[in-house]
Amino acid sequence: MQKLTTIREIFRNRDNYLGQTVEIGGWVRNIRDSKTFGFLVVNDGTYFEPLQVVFHDAMANFSDICHLNVGAAVIVKGQLVATPKAKQPFEIQAETVEIEGASTPDYPLQPKRHTFEYLRTLTHLRARTNTFEAVFRVRSLIAYAIHQFFQERDFVYVHTPLITGSDCEGAGEMFQVTTMDLNNVPKNEEGKVDFSEDFFGKPTNLTVSGQLNGETFAMAFRNIYTFGPTFRAENSNTTRHAAEFWMIEPEIAFADLQDDMELAESMMKYVIGYVLEHAPEEMKFFNQFVDKGLLERLEHVRTSDFGRVTYTEAIELLEKHNDEFDYKVSWGCDLQTEHERYLTEKIFKRPVFVTDYPKDIKAFYMKQNPDGKTVAAMDMLVPGIGEIIGGSERENDYDKLLTRMKELGLKEEDYSFYLDLRKYGSTRHAGFGLGFERCVMYLTGMGNIRDVIPFPRTVNNCEL
Amino acid sequence: MQKLTTIREIFRNRDNYLGQTVEIGGWVRNIRDSKTFGFLVVNDGTYFEPLQVVFHDAMANFSDICHLNVGAAVIVKGQLVATPKAKQPFEIQAETVEIEGASTPDYPLQPKRHTFEYLRTLTHLRARTNTFEAVFRVRSLIAYAIHQFFQERDFVYVHTPLITGSDCEGAGEMFQVTTMDLNNVPKNEEGKVDFSEDFFGKPTNLTVSGQLNGETFAMAFRNIYTFGPTFRAENSNTTRHAAEFWMIEPEIAFADLQDDMELAESMMKYVIGYVLEHAPEEMKFFNQFVDKGLLERLEHVRTSDFGRVTYTEAIELLEKHNDEFDYKVSWGCDLQTEHERYLTEKIFKRPVFVTDYPKDIKAFYMKQNPDGKTVAAMDMLVPGIGEIIGGSERENDYDKLLTRMKELGLKEEDYSFYLDLRKYGSTRHAGFGLGFERCVMYLTGMGNIRDVIPFPRTVNNCEL
């Protein structure tokens, strides 16, 4: 049955099919009929545009077809004919319409506009609507573009672990993983949880980042990337936070912060180019119905040389506009989205890397600059969203790293594997993290992270 | 610094570099020196073969280089010259050798043979050895080949959720996910765990399969695939079980069991072909040192038409050889690895699909055959391993599915989303699951799942 011609194939290679008999299978998005003939609008999920089917009363099952409900699955055979006077370029004049699976009058996706809120209650069906069909196809293409970008450059894809015995950077609240009976948690003599009874014999969590594991592989393969799920048990109910999301974390050895920024810039441009090329219909739809300036903005990002500014310079530039900000900036503070967007939209008018942040607002593993105050970190800011990528050169000096860990109260024994990398053939190296969902939001213009994840997980929400 | 030429580039395009000055960065695998000159064997992780570097006493840091320890990182600049009389095709005659990062005399990976058991205690370093460099590069290539196979065919990649509120097929023991304080689990008035206090407000687990979620997307996009982590809290300490592993689960609509088998067969052949083409050095190494018959076996699989046999026929064939088996077969029993291998290796002498298993040993969602006894399931068996893929056509009839669920004691309300797919435009559809690690073991000949996962998780083992 997979031999049925896809609607994508018909649209992409129309000249091979016009005037020919084709057979398609798909779902009815809309239906109109009169006494002697009718129209089905059929979408088969392979292509953003549907295909119109004309059926007529010479068919034995004409009445059954007329009584189809929206959502029904059909297999249609007929001639593909050009329709130069109509909105759509061609239609199928059906010889047969087989009903593969009926639908019901109460099918929840009637041909009218539904709110995103309503559709979030229908995660098992919403991919059948225009917007979510477009979002999830583009999501798939972005994922592949990222793999292709790195694989073309011979980066090794590393599956870093999901269940972890350490809390990595100590960032964010974590989910615990256990097989113990929660009704009757085993306790030791001191009345504390007896983790020796647990599956791994110790406390374990879901990972918040694969970076430290990734670094171990960069010290073997030189260039690697991760692409996998990460988790945050943050109790925040916003349009930008999910408890489960995917991250891409490349790590490059024999590399410094400049190399890191060049890699990040090339990657973003590559992914944008890939999506514009492979999903033009979907991108046009987003531009028209979701985010009016989208295509112009992406095209601009793709063709700009990204700006570079140090954090210290950025603060000087922003301080002049402190009256325009809710949060006033001064050296040492973390940049808020309003500041990031001001920098990239108003001051630089293009994407910009902010580098060399104060060490006290950044992670322990970032390379300390000679000034003793800043670290070789970088954030990529893009118009419309602010920070989209965060990265750094890593501290590759054993003593400096250990001293910094001690200052921050990290236990040396928890990081002995990480320190080993600085003991045995340490190299300058760098990497960054890209939140995949944030990237999908950026490329589609969708405003809520719940609408770019197939089955989103947020506080009090874990359906399906 | 990323401008350093990779050793892969030098080997792949040697004619561009012979006689030229090149600059590489990498790690010292071996070192020999005499009074006036010496050799470094340098691997930069981008290519399986190392590059030999000749250095000499005209260098200011000659003595430092002589005293390098194995594992040190160096940056070497010099002329690439052909060495027609040597084992290796060329070497670098160094002008400069910069020491990027030293190593120590107690570096755990000395240039001698280490056991896999020993290397499992060094997950942060083992990718620097020949075997694990080969395994993890091939793992990366297999992952990419799978993406490429599906994307070339316009399948949509779906990220199904990791944290789940249902136990899907009810298969296997599951890991619980919670943010509750395990020392003090909140209880309700009946003394039971009060999950309203938990992050999601209900009990949640780590997924064992993305299939049911995947089906919802196949009913929107027609052809989809998942590729993500899955979890089993099975307390089994074998060479084939891990608590955390990756699965690929394609799902195709307007498709039956035949389409499913064709897809699985094409995919396996594609992946084998990709790896043979893109990792010839690694595959030769596996064939020589890990699994002698590997290349011949893979080539055979790649070029065979896979056999097809029903379970009922297979049992008849196997019963004749019951004296050769530890477990005797008879209709109704599940096939053990010994039976599977006998079928594919001795009887068919090529990969074979076994179809139409008894419904009582298969999952509730499989399409019931008209005989009332069997379901439209298929397992792909391959020489050397037995089952590598399991799949089925899905029951697409609402009433039959519901009846079967009730027979098995599944709660209708837990599967209302799944039943909806049979209510609104149901189509014939099918899919299969491929355990990614099993696939990596099969293509590399590695015998222990712990040795094909970067950071394996098994009972009582969750390091790094």
Side-chain angles (χ1 to χ4, degrees), chain A residues 226-376:
Chain A
T226 73
F227 192 157
T230 47
F231 305 86
R232 296 280 157 86
E234 270 180 273
N235 200 338
S236 49
N237 219 331
T238 79
T239 56
R240 291 156 64 98
H241 289 86
E244 177 180 311
F245 54 97
W246 289 60
M247 287 260 285
I248 296 98
E249 298 182 286
E251 190 75 30
I252 49 180
F254 293 100
D256 57 23
L257 195 68
Q258 297 303 318
D259 296 311
D260 204 33
M261 289 189 281
E262 280 171 28
L263 182 70
E265 182 172 337
S266 318
M267 186 195 70
M268 280 308 297
K269 289 177 172 175
Y270 185 97
V271 172
I272 292 170
Y274 188 91
V275 169
L276 292 175
E277 183 186 339
H278 288 84
E281 295 81 9
E282 285 82 354
M283 296 306 287
K284 198 177 134 202
F285 171 82
F286 292 129
N287 192 58
Q288 205 168 348
F289 295 106
V290 175
D291 180 354
K292 296 260 181 255
L294 181 70
L295 286 181
E296 197 187 347
R297 204 164 60 236
L298 293 178
E299 200 51 59
H300 178 58
V301 168
R302 191 159 75 105
T303 53
S304 300
D305 278 329
F306 291 16
R308 312 266 169 120
V309 63
T310 66
Y311 169 88
T312 302
E313 290 159 357
I315 292 292
E316 282 167 16
L317 292 168
L318 290 168
E319 273 178 333
K320 295 177 190 152
H321 305 277
N322 255 342
D323 54 329
E324 299 174 50
F325 301 135
D326 291 338
Y327 295 89
K328 313 302 169 196
V329 298
S330 62
W331 202 97
C333 77
D334 217 344
L335 296 183
Q336 306 293 322
T337 303
E338 58 174 334
H339 311 132
E340 293 171 344
R341 291 188 58 172
Y342 198 93
L343 271 172
T344 174
E345 291 168 17
K346 300 279 171 60
I347 298 180
F348 282 85
K349 296 183 170 61
R350 58 192 166 125
V352 59
F353 287 102
V354 179
T355 64
D356 303 294
Y357 283 78
K359 68 176 179 183
D360 291 329
I361 59 171
K362 289 291 182 181
F364 76 94
Y365 51 70
M366 295 190 179
K367 187 181 177 70
Q368 294 161 46
N369 285 328
D371 64 14
K373 295 189 300 183
T374 62
V375 287

Side-chain angles (χ1 to χ4, degrees), chain B residues 155-289:
Chain B
F155 280 55
V156 170
Y157 176 28
V158 184
H159 295 96
T160 50
L162 286 292
I163 302 176
T164 167
S166 74
D167 77 347
C168 184
E169 331 176 9
E173 292 97 344
M174 300 180 84
F175 289 103
Q176 302 162 92
V177 175
T178 180
T179 53
M180 296 186 295
D181 179 0
L182 296 179
N183 272 304
N184 193 10
V185 175
K187 302 276 171 80
N188 60 21
E189 288 174 3
E190 294 161 19
K192 291 285 181 187
V193 178
D194 181 4
F195 283 106
S196 73
E197 298 278 312
D198 209 350
F199 188 87
F200 294 109
K202 65 178 185 179
T204 52
N205 300 298
L206 290 177
T207 188
V208 297
S209 163
Q211 179 199 316
L212 304 197
N213 297 79
E215 280 185 56
T216 70
F217 269 57
M219 291 297 125
F221 289 107
R222 184 167 162 180
N223 293 334
I224 66 97
Y225 68 109
T226 73
F227 192 158
T230 47
F231 305 86
R232 296 282 157 85
E234 270 181 273
N235 199 338
S236 48
N237 218 331
T238 78
T239 56
R240 291 156 62 99
H241 289 86
E244 177 180 312
F245 55 98
W246 289 61
M247 287 259 287
I248 296 96
E249 297 181 287
E251 190 75 31
I252 49 180
F254 295 100
D256 57 23
L257 195 66
Q258 297 303 319
D259 297 310
D260 204 32
M261 289 189 282
E262 280 171 30
L263 182 69
E265 181 172 337
S266 318
M267 185 195 69
M268 280 308 297
K269 289 177 173 175
Y270 185 96
V271 172
I272 292 171
Y274 188 91
V275 168
L276 292 175
E277 184 186 339
H278 288 84
E281 295 82 8
E282 285 83 355
M283 295 307 288
K284 200 177 132 200
F285 170 83
F286 292 129
N287 192 59
Q288 204 168 349
F289 295 106

